[in-house]
Amino acid sequence: MPFVELFAPKGALDGERGRRVKERLVAEVMLAEGAPDNEAAREISWLVVNEPQEWFVGGRPIAGQEQPRYVVRVSVPAGSLDDDKRADMVQRITRVLSEGEEDPGRLHDKPVAWVHLIEIADGNWGAMGKIFRFSDIIEYVIGAPVPG
């Protein structure tokens, strides 16, 4: 299940469009990952929004009138993605971000939205005071032990 971090300049995701981006981002990541749409999966699929006070590109600060840049980091258990799922996830994230823009094509024309897919090695994910292996996460989400 994903842990999503969205970095956007302060105020870039204010208003109705920004609210929709925040509400849809994790749902789209879950779809790309192949997660079931149930309460347990949603319960452990998080989004944290970071709004840095300063944002620099090429060593210079972005001026307030410039269009925003974005970074989305998605952490998932290693083994939960293949190349098709990774490509789908990047496309879905870019589409959701672009729908929050006045110029939606900008995110497809210029590298102003970076997506980092971080696969956490099995045995390096923990919750409830213990290590959660990929099979433990699946068991938690589907409510049954994973064979094998």
Side-chain angles (χ1 to χ4, degrees):
M1 302 302 102
F3 176 74
V4 180
E5 295 174 275
L6 169 60
F7 293 82
K10 193 157 187 62
L13 294 172
D14 289 347
E16 182 62 24
R17 281 190 290 196
R19 184 185 61 76
R20 283 195 311 266
V21 166
K22 293 175 216 174
E23 288 177 351
R24 289 191 47 228
L25 201 55
V26 169
E28 291 293 326
V29 168
M30 289 174 66
L31 285 170
E33 188 182 23
D37 184 17
N38 64 31
E39 187 57 36
R42 287 188 298 272
E43 179 181 86
I44 62 173
S45 299
W46 299 358
L47 168 68
V48 174
V49 178
N50 298 289
E51 294 183 320
Q53 295 296 318
E54 296 182 295
W55 197 290
F56 287 74
V57 174
R60 66 171 185 81
I62 295 176
Q65 68 275 14
E66 288 187 53
Q67 293 179 319
R69 270 75 164 185
Y70 306 95
V71 175
V72 179
R73 290 193 293 205
V74 180
S75 298
V76 297
S80 65
L81 302 178
D82 57 24
D83 286 344
D84 290 338
K85 287 182 179 181
R86 286 184 198 94
D88 186 37
M89 193 173 290
V90 170
Q91 290 171 358
R92 287 173 182 272
I93 290 168
T94 304
R95 184 178 62 245
V96 169
L97 289 173
S98 69
E99 290 171 0
E101 289 274 304
E102 289 182 27
D103 176 12
R106 179 176 81 91
L107 275 69
H108 296 277
D109 296 336
K110 296 180 181 176
V112 294
W114 290 100
V115 178
H116 301 162
L117 304 178
I118 303 163
E119 297 187 58
I120 307 296
D122 200 33
N124 288 292
W125 199 289
M128 302 183 323
K130 65 178 189 168
I131 296 297
F132 257 58
R133 298 200 174 277
F134 188 38
S135 59
D136 298 323
I137 295 169
I138 294 170
E139 182 177 330
Y140 181 85
V141 169
I142 65 172
V146 177

